[in-house]
Amino acid sequence: MKKILNRPADYVDETLDGLVAAHSDQLRRLGEDGRVVARSRGAIPGKVGIVTGGGSGHLPVFLGYVGEGLLDACAVGNVFAGPRVSDCQEAMRAADGGAGVLQLYGNYGGDRMNFEMAREMLELEGMQVASVRVADDVASAPVAERQKRRGVAGMVFAFKVAGAMAAAGGSLAEVTKVAEKAALACRSIGVALTPCVIPESGKASFEIAADEVEFGMGIHGEPGIWRGKLKTADALTDEMLERLLPECNLGHGDRVAVLVNSLGATPHEELYIMYRRIAQTLADKGITPVLPLVGRYATSMEMAGASLTLMPVDAELEALLAAPANCPFWKV
Amino acid sequence: MKKILNRPADYVDETLDGLVAAHSDQLRRLGEDGRVVARSRGAIPGKVGIVTGGGSGHLPVFLGYVGEGLLDACAVGNVFAGPRVSDCQEAMRAADGGAGVLQLYGNYGGDRMNFEMAREMLELEGMQVASVRVADDVASAPVAERQKRRGVAGMVFAFKVAGAMAAAGGSLAEVTKVAEKAALACRSIGVALTPCVIPESGKASFEIAADEVEFGMGIHGEPGIWRGKLKTADALTDEMLERLLPECNLGHGDRVAVLVNSLGATPHEELYIMYRRIAQTLADKGITPVLPLVGRYATSMEMAGASLTLMPVDAELEALLAAPANCPFWKV
């Protein structure tokens, strides 16, 4: 394991220490174990609160999107492990400005179970709660079983859209509606070139040969669609587009939000080589990419690889994506 | 070589294609070979132009800092190779709004030779030109031979400070003065855990054992101060601070800009573990970190490792760092 860390058991808490120290104007830690990250300014009276949560090791996902025009609080688990129920509750309380709270998170069994338990308990206390799960990874289940798909980088679009609607004064029903609209619209697929190492176990998340790529792999190393010799950037990008476009229902004159995301080690240079091909292909079809994001938005620590997310947009989604936002990792 | 690319010979140009496609509202390519990146809006009449240049493989450095409140144009070389003289000239012409042009770049022999030739030729045409080289890497030469030091991540602070002064209407003398002030004030040191691979050669930039770190290594794999077993994050961070602080002349009540920079593969989690230690150490000394930057600001593609830059600030430098700026990789 070649990482810059101290005791592996302290990896998450020391990361949070540094993050909150660097961004104390925006973020603070809450909860008895400090595993809730919330906005420093506290809940905003009358604004719908948005909470997320999930395992660590994916920065900026999840807690990095707590900020202005984005999320209000996040429950933080260990690396690749869901947050505790008590921290989900604490995050919801921190986000609650009296107008209700939306739970907006990735579709993983453990996260779902804990957020649902937290929801039940807080509803008993009278909190108005809604839930939207993002399930955008097309490689993880066929479209007929969409509810089984995992949530990956598409949640960044859902965070942005819901956060903008909440900041604009939307009701819980309105914020939930646009979050669902974004969650339903976005589609993602990833390719992995190398694993990452889980600090506590010291083990790689999977094994792969020096000349191989795994197409469709999940962000925790979940098996993909095929594994084989590494192809060119254009061949990989074309195949990613071929997996996404048929589900996107895009035609000439349509507009689509594009996110080319590094899983960690893959540098900006390679992401832009991919984006070049995506822009060419979309242009050939008369489709306009809007507000493209190219960078590290949802990672697996130092994993090499990239994911592509497409979200067809109407005027409402496009305006919400373009609305101002400010978190430690992203400023719009 | 495990990278997402097409022909290695096309790595730089395809990266530029994608970058300009993704950020066409901000950036355009110029020059007969398209190896100059400049602001889409063109030179701003009456504003001092700021140009930089250098090898590729370091995104966001160099061209990523072309933008509002930052740089006006950049000459782009091949991976780890300086830009051509003709591209330096083209960048200077693209940046020239009639108020003079500052060349602001890292202290490497090839870059210096080419920028000096470009300067001589454009001065003959009547352009007002000034030059500042950033030489912040304390590992590359002792303080008595500062002019031999290489330029690394500290140039991000110099870009920001000079760009803000130019945007505020500063004269060429004023912009040059604050660029020099930042360049003189900043100090950096890096540690490398893994090499990166040069696309055209397919070779690693250096070799290192699976349990070793090189302390003080340059961003192209230039030899550092020592190589040995990987230490804890706190031990590495302490040694980095011990190398930087004696040259920074910081005392109780002083303020310092801090940049914890990933060289590529090292994830945000590890950078924040380092920042946590830096913030604790500075607090113990009564020194206040201002506007800390934690992320990827000057990389070597997929190299694992991190650098730390400190720049003691007075009120002028701090205000210039905090002034608005907007480029594809950074928004202030």
Side-chain angles (χ1 to χ4, degrees):
Chain A
M1 179 166 59
K2 206 162 192 185
K3 290 174 183 277
I4 302 175
L5 44 60
N6 296 304
R7 289 197 323 145
D10 296 330
Y11 184 82
V12 172
D13 288 305
E14 290 189 351
T15 296
L16 295 179
D17 284 342
L19 198 132
V20 169
H23 309 291
S24 57
D25 54 328
Q26 292 183 287
L27 302 179
R28 60 185 171 143
R29 291 176 76 179
L30 298 173
E32 54 177 320
D33 52 1
R35 287 298 187 94
V36 172
V37 171
R39 293 181 65 179
S40 305
R41 61 170 290 180
I44 301 169
K47 189 185 89 70
V48 168
I50 308 178
V51 299
T52 195
S56 291
H58 300 300
L59 283 178
V61 160
F62 299 85
L63 64 99
Y65 296 104
V66 174
E68 200 182 323
L70 286 159
L71 309 174
D72 295 279
C74 177
V76 180
N78 283 323
V79 172
F80 295 1
R84 299 188 310 190
V85 178
S86 57
D87 291 326
C88 296
Q89 288 178 268
E90 184 77 25
M92 291 166 72
R93 287 200 180 94
D96 182 18
V101 170
L102 171 65
Q103 300 175 327
L104 180 55
Y105 58 98
N107 191 32
Y108 293 92
D111 296 353
R112 179 173 184 166
M113 191 173 71
N114 291 356
F115 270 112
E116 286 184 348
M117 284 178 66
R119 176 178 177 160
E120 276 174 39
M121 287 188 275
L122 289 180
E123 281 179 336
L124 287 175
E125 293 179 14
M127 190 186 286
Q128 242 197 311
V129 186
S131 307
V132 173
R133 282 178 297 281
V134 182
D136 54 319
D137 185 353
V138 303
S140 53
V143 68
E145 298 173 270
R146 249 208 109 180
Q147 77 289 353
K148 291 189 185 169
R149 285 181 173 172
R150 298 181 295 256
V152 288
M155 73 180 74
V156 175
F157 285 142
F159 292 164
K160 180 69 184 71
V161 160
M165 180 58 92
S171 67
L172 181 59
E174 288 168 327
V175 173
T176 304
K177 193 176 167 194
V178 294
E180 272 169 356
K181 187 173 169 180
L184 278 170
C186 64
R187 298 285 187 285
S188 301
I189 193 158
V191 295
L193 276 64
T194 73
C196 57
V197 172
I198 318 290
E200 287 220 43
S201 70
K203 287 188 181 142
S205 51
F206 60 95
E207 289 185 10
I208 189 163
D211 60 350
E212 282 187 331
V213 62
E214 178 135 346
F215 187 90
M217 174 166 275
I219 57 172
H220 309 99
E222 298 94 338
I225 296 169
W226 58 259
R227 178 180 289 208
K229 295 274 183 216
L230 184 57
K231 300 181 180 181
T232 65
D234 286 355
L236 283 175
T237 305
D238 288 350
E239 190 166 344
M240 293 167 92
L241 285 168
E242 281 158 21
R243 293 275 173 175
L244 299 182
L245 284 172
E247 291 197 28
C248 284
N249 196 25
L250 285 163
H252 199 278
D254 286 339
R255 297 167 75 79
V256 63
V258 179
L259 166 54
V260 185
N261 173 57
S262 172
L263 295 176
T266 292
H268 268 108
E269 285 81 359
E270 298 175 35
L271 302 180
Y272 280 116
I273 291 174
M274 295 175 69
Y275 183 76
R276 164 195 140 275
R277 184 70 168 189
I278 296 160
Q280 287 166 351
T281 303
L282 294 176
D284 289 345
K285 296 178 187 293
I287 300 163
T288 304
V290 296
L291 310 162
L293 300 177
V294 180
R296 291 170 179 90
Y297 290 84
T299 68
S300 291
M301 294 179 289
E302 73 281 11
M303 188 189 288
S307 69
L308 169 59
T309 302
L310 298 181
M311 181 173 77
V313 292
D314 58 11
E316 180 185 48
L317 287 179
E318 190 172 340
L320 292 167
L321 285 177
N326 188 7
C327 67
F329 297 84
W330 194 20
K331 204 166 173 182
V332 181
Chain B
M1 180 167 57
K2 207 162 191 183
K3 290 174 184 277
I4 302 175
L5 45 60
N6 296 303
R7 289 196 324 145
D10 296 329
Y11 183 83
V12 173
D13 288 304
E14 290 189 351
T15 296
L16 296 179
D17 285 342
L19 198 132
V20 170
H23 309 291
S24 58
D25 54 327
Q26 292 182 288
L27 302 179
R28 59 184 174 144
R29 291 176 75 178
L30 298 172
E32 53 178 323
D33 53 0
R35 288 299 186 92
V36 172
V37 171
R39 293 180 66 179
S40 305
R41 61 170 291 178
I44 300 168
K47 188 186 90 71
V48 169
I50 308 178
V51 299
T52 194
S56 292
H58 301 298
L59 283 178
V61 159
F62 299 87
L63 65 99
Y65 295 104
V66 174
E68 201 182 323
L70 286 157
L71 309 175
D72 296 280
C74 176
V76 180
N78 284 325
V79 173
F80 295 0
R84 299 189 310 191
V85 178
S86 57
D87 290 327
C88 296
Q89 288 177 268
E90 185 78 24
M92 291 167 71
R93 287 200 180 94
D96 182 18
V101 170
L102 171 65
Q103 300 175 327
L104 180 55
Y105 58 99
N107 190 32
Y108 294 93
D111 296 354
R112 179 175 184 165
M113 191 173 69
N114 291 356
F115 270 111
E116 286 184 348
M117 284 179 67
R119 176 178 177 158
E120 277 175 37
M121 288 189 276
L122 289 180
E123 281 178 336
L124 287 176
E125 294 179 13
M127 192 187 284
Q128 241 197 310
V129 186
S131 307
V132 173
R133 280 178 300 280
V134 181
D136 54 319
D137 185 352
V138 304
S140 53
V143 68
E145 299 174 89
R146 247 208 112 180
Q147 78 287 353
K148 291 186 185 170
R149 286 181 173 173
R150 298 181 295 257
V152 287
M155 72 180 76
V156 175
F157 285 142
F159 292 164
K160 180 67 185 71
V161 160
M165 179 60 92
S171 68
L172 181 58
E174 288 168 327
V175 174
T176 304
K177 193 176 168 195
V178 294
E180 271 169 357
K181 188 173 170 181
L184 278 170
C186 64
R187 297 286 187 283
S188 301
I189 193 158
V191 295
L193 276 64
T194 73
C196 56
V197 172
I198 319 291
E200 287 219 44
S201 70
K203 287 188 181 141
S205 52
F206 61 94
E207 289 185 11
I208 188 162
D211 60 350
E212 282 186 332
V213 61
E214 179 135 344
F215 188 90
M217 174 165 276
I219 57 172
H220 309 99
E222 298 94 338
I225 296 169
W226 58 259
R227 177 181 290 208
K229 296 274 184 216
L230 183 56
K231 300 181 179 181
T232 65
D234 286 355
L236 283 175
T237 304
D238 288 350
E239 191 167 341
M240 293 167 92
L241 285 167
E242 281 158 20
R243 293 276 174 176
L244 300 181
L245 284 172
E247 290 197 29
C248 286
N249 196 26
L250 284 162
H252 200 278
D254 286 338
R255 297 168 74 81
V256 63
V258 179
L259 167 54
V260 186
N261 173 56
S262 171
L263 296 175
T266 292
H268 268 109
E269 285 82 359
E270 297 175 36
L271 302 180
Y272 281 116
I273 290 173
M274 295 175 69
Y275 183 76
R276 165 195 139 274
R277 184 70 168 190
I278 295 160
Q280 287 166 351
T281 304
L282 293 176
D284 288 347
K285 296 178 187 294
I287 300 164
T288 304
V290 295
L291 309 163
L293 300 177
V294 180
R296 292 169 177 91
Y297 290 85
T299 67
S300 291
M301 295 179 289
E302 73 280 9
M303 188 189 287
S307 69
L308 170 59
T309 301
L310 298 181
M311 181 173 78
V313 292
D314 58 11
E316 180 186 46
L317 287 179
E318 190 172 339
L320 292 167
L321 285 177
N326 187 7
C327 67
F329 297 85
W330 194 19
K331 205 166 173 181
V332 182

